[in-house]
Amino acid sequence: MSDKLLLWIGEQPSPVKKDRSSDLVMDSVINYYDSEQRKPRYEWGQLFLDNGAFTARMKGISLQRDRVIEVQEHIDPDRTIPLDYPFRTGEPAARMRKLWNKTKDNITYWQTSTSLRKKVVPTLHAWDKSSLIKNVQWLQRNADSDFVALGSIVGPGFQKFDGFFGDRQPSMELIDMVALASSCVAKLTDFKVHLMGFGSSPLMLHLGYYLGAHSTDTTGYRRKAAFGKIVLPGKGERHVGDDSLRGREFGGQAMSIREENPKREEDLTLLNRCGCPVCTSNPDILWIDWRARAIHNEFVMKQEASVAQYFSSVSESTYEKFLDRVVFPGSSLRYLWEYAKLRKNYYRISDVLFNEGV
Ligand SMILES: [Zn+2]
């Protein structure tokens, strides 16, 4: 693992910062699709423009292919995702196969008939192990890209399981999906993996990089801030803002840094050491200003990506030891970390992909 790990910072038409000329930025077609505003109002270093398909599908809106292309060509990002067709819970395999065929058609179309062809990041979808292997092989033959984005990778449990890849809620199914798909991509292709939305907290970010992602994005830093939450270096999220916002975001209530938290002192020490522009000048505004929380959260996530970069560039086992001894003990996601190690090693050392009834 010597390649640079990437973290794309989520932005929107009303940006947290206007000067992002030294940032990797993630934005979405959905923010410009029906809007009079046709370009982002911020400067970017590099821009990755998501196609908005997942949001549209969850809202039951269908996106028109030509309009998506028009928005993407007009904004002219560095990377973008051809319109794809994510799965919804409960869909039969035949329907998922049909949606994948439409996704493939669009990957080809984007590469042959638009000005975006050198910027395309294709999305991988699969509905069982056999389709995973076939679809990865198809991408290897047909997609002209250095990255592949993991989309809907689902198994038999999908019918009863909701929220698999949208909000990226931590779960064993999510870990298994990422470990399996990353391993398959690594064995069968020369793509690097982009994992959509794994930068919601330091713990999730580390899980994503550990499981084989070279690139992920954080839009959660901003959403959390709006819901009164901050992230702590090497930790998860804590509630600091307006109490009326508590528990209103999916994922339940975050521990408050002020009250019932048994590790309150430890949390406050971490916060006192934070080197972000807010904590070093006027930390009190974290409690009242969502933008201040967004700036703090972004700083912490970038710092965490640098830490991951540092340890993983030494060696994969060094990074694993660091996560095992420093980051995950005592954390709320420790059980997922133990599971992630098991699954990663299982897929790494076995030929399970090729032998298990595929
Ligand atoms: Zn800070």
Side-chain angles (χ1 to χ4, degrees):
M1 287 215 298
S2 55
D3 287 318
K4 182 117 178 76
L5 298 175
L6 308 181
L7 176 64
W8 302 80
I9 306 296
E11 256 315 355
Q12 293 181 12
S14 56
V16 173
K17 285 187 206 165
K18 285 192 171 166
D19 179 6
R20 291 206 170 273
S21 52
S22 55
D23 284 332
L24 304 179
V25 181
M26 173 68 73
D27 203 342
S28 171
V29 165
I30 205 89
N31 293 327
Y32 307 90
Y33 189 82
D34 285 324
S35 166
E36 298 210 333
Q37 186 182 328
R38 301 191 63 224
K39 282 253 186 192
R41 291 201 186 101
Y42 52 82
E43 300 286 321
W44 62 81
Q46 281 191 58
L47 181 63
F48 192 157
L49 193 63
D50 186 18
N51 60 25
F54 185 81
T55 312
R57 188 137 166 76
M58 288 299 127
K59 289 183 177 169
I61 306 164
S62 74
L63 297 175
Q64 299 303 308
R65 185 185 71 176
D66 291 345
R67 175 64 185 153
V68 171
I69 292 170
E70 194 185 334
V71 173
Q72 290 176 336
E73 287 186 329
H74 180 72
I75 293 179
D76 193 25
D78 298 274
R79 292 178 187 276
T80 197
I81 300 184
L83 181 59
D84 68 320
Y85 301 90
F87 307 148
R88 273 192 297 219
T89 314
E91 281 176 330
R95 166 78 179 150
M96 294 196 260
R97 182 176 290 114
K98 208 168 162 188
L99 291 171
W100 169 244
N101 286 336
K102 286 173 73 180
T103 295
K104 284 197 293 187
D105 287 348
N106 280 355
I107 293 168
T108 305
Y109 187 79
W110 256 245
Q111 290 183 165
T112 54
S113 309
T114 74
S115 67
L116 302 157
R117 58 185 162 272
K118 291 288 173 201
K119 304 166 176 190
V120 161
V121 176
T123 316
L124 169 65
H125 300 285
W127 49 94
D128 56 22
K129 275 189 194 164
S130 166
S131 65
L132 177 63
I133 291 169
K134 281 192 193 128
N135 299 353
V136 164
Q137 287 170 329
W138 185 89
L139 287 172
Q140 174 66 9
R141 285 195 305 275
N142 294 284
D144 181 15
S145 176
D146 50 350
F147 272 91
V148 62
L150 298 192
S152 329
I153 316 283
V154 303
F158 187 52
Q159 300 225 342
K160 36 185 179 12
F161 184 67
D162 209 355
F164 205 33
F165 38 78
D167 50 29
R168 299 295 192 198
Q169 285 300 297
S171 69
M172 284 155 98
E173 289 88 346
L174 182 64
I175 296 297
D176 208 19
M177 176 278 271
V178 173
L180 174 64
S182 301
S183 161
C184 194
V185 169
K187 279 180 183 168
L188 299 175
T189 78
D190 54 4
F191 293 125
K192 289 181 269 190
V193 168
H194 176 78
L195 208 44
M196 303 296 289
F198 250 67
S200 62
S201 79
L203 298 176
M204 287 300 281
L205 185 74
H206 285 303
L207 280 174
Y209 288 145
Y210 173 74
L211 290 172
H214 277 93
S215 169
T216 187
D217 54 90
T218 173
T219 47
Y221 84 98
R222 177 183 165 129
R223 194 179 56 235
K224 281 184 197 307
F227 281 94
K229 294 175 192 168
I230 57 164
V231 289
L232 291 175
K235 304 272 175 190
E237 62 190 33
R238 301 289 184 271
H239 191 273
V240 298
D242 180 352
D243 277 345
S244 67
L245 296 171
R246 291 191 69 178
R248 276 181 43 191
E249 197 191 18
F250 49 74
Q253 292 203 359
M255 187 73 84
S256 170
I257 211 163
R258 285 183 288 190
E259 306 146 9
E260 72 281 7
N261 181 355
K263 294 187 177 168
R264 187 170 175 272
E265 290 306 317
E266 195 183 313
D267 286 353
L268 285 171
T269 307
L270 275 175
L271 203 53
N272 286 337
R273 285 193 207 133
C274 177
C276 85
V278 176
C279 294
T280 49
S281 61
N282 186 8
D284 289 346
I285 59 171
L286 280 182
W287 266 257
I288 49 172
D289 181 347
W290 81 268
R291 256 173 218 279
R293 290 193 290 272
I295 289 166
H296 163 90
N297 287 348
E298 179 185 332
F299 180 90
V300 170
M301 294 310 298
K302 283 177 173 168
Q303 199 175 41
E304 217 62 42
S306 305
V307 168
Q309 175 70 48
Y310 172 78
F311 284 105
S312 64
S313 63
V314 178
S315 75
E316 205 172 319
S317 63
T318 307
Y319 186 38
E320 184 173 304
K321 272 183 207 147
F322 167 71
L323 296 179
D324 212 32
R325 292 172 191 178
V326 179
V327 174
F328 284 101
S331 85
S332 57
L333 296 188
R334 179 165 192 153
Y335 74 104
L336 279 186
W337 165 244
E338 295 298 334
Y339 189 67
K341 279 191 291 181
L342 279 177
R343 296 321 282 171
K344 179 166 173 158
N345 288 317
Y346 179 61
Y347 292 127
R348 182 164 47 199
I349 62 176
S350 75
D351 288 327
V352 65
L353 289 172
F354 306 97
N355 296 334
E356 247 185 29
V358 295

